[in-house]
Amino acid sequence: MAWAGGLIAAALAGLWGGMALWSHLPREHSIALVMTLGWGLAWMIALVRSARQRRLRPLLTGGLVLMLAVLTWWSTIAPQAERQWAPDVAQLVEIEGDREHPSIVHLRNVRNFAWRSETDFTPRWEARSYDLAQLRSVDVALSYWMGPAIAHTLVSFGFADGQHLVFSIEIRKEAHEQFDTLAGFFKQYEMALVAADERDILAVRTQARGEQVHLYRVQMSQPAMRDLFLAYADQAQQLQRAPRFYHTLTANCTTIVWQLARRIGQELPLDWRLLASGYLPEYLHARGALASELPLPALRRESQINARAEGWQPAPGMTDAQASADFSRAIRQDL
């Protein structure tokens, strides 16, 4: 049976290599098609020879050469910091501490877009400062865009003055790109850490994109909130120093949050619901991490913010900061 297992492993390796070639080779003059078909034919010949002889040697000989060649090419694909980025990820947040006031952090490139539709918006990138001594809450927002199992995970930090700052791990798509789950396995997208106002990053999902957004209060001590915020700051600094690729499975909007939480000492074991992120509330509820005594089905119903977000309007004469705080208050009303 060893040869049968070898055939299956080789078939999977050949499939991976073919998809990698197809994802990255240029489409001009059918280069990607020709190379992918050539790769598949070479693997097919090796597989057929091994199957006929019921021996692994043809695979070990030909397959090893093929994989070394494609892995050598694969290692040359590096993430880039300079591309024609889409407007909503054109800037990465930059965070630095205050030497005179250690609890205060200064942020550049906080996103505060005014969205009228997904393609009609006013871009605004702002500089802001936050006092971590005034941290009062951490909420997890889940935005469902493709069925009950798949959601985008965002983390919102609330401050004593009513302001909220949201961190979101996203693909840093180029101006012509759209997210494709399969392409996310093959170094197709760089990673972005977006810091944004709730009135931007939650409202664009509820109103412009028509996604279903749920908001859950997380049970954390103030020191743990501070540590998590600083873990995001460290992640931002790492991305500024060296860009990295987003990965659909291992480096996505949920697994990176899990890694940051583990880094600050939170006991969060690995679980399949970290991959099927739509079920993250079940995972957090099972760990006692949600600050609510409601049964989970009731909490799910109460946590949806779409109606409140869509019905909110700023009062006349409100400043931008007042409007942001009022939006955050409104979506939490009766939550």
Side-chain angles (χ1 to χ4, degrees), residues 26 211 302 328:
E211 299 175 8
E302 296 295 331
S328 296

Side-chain angles (χ1 to χ4, degrees), residues 207-247:
Q207 290 153 258
R209 299 178 185 171
E211 299 175 8
Q212 300 301 307
V213 180
H214 293 252
L215 196 62
Y216 298 92
R217 177 62 47 86
V218 179
Q219 191 163 278
M220 295 184 77
S221 66
Q222 211 277 344
M225 296 179 200
R226 174 191 174 96
D227 289 345
L228 184 58
F229 191 103
L230 292 175
Y232 270 107
D234 181 63
Q235 184 70 53
Q237 290 171 338
Q238 289 181 34
L239 287 176
Q240 284 291 332
R241 290 192 296 266
R244 63 179 291 191
F245 282 116
Y246 178 97
H247 191 278

Side-chain angles (χ1 to χ4, degrees), residues 123-134:
R124 295 182 299 197
W125 299 96
E126 300 175 351
R128 296 186 179 185
S129 296
Y130 294 91
D131 186 352
L132 300 189
Q134 300 301 311

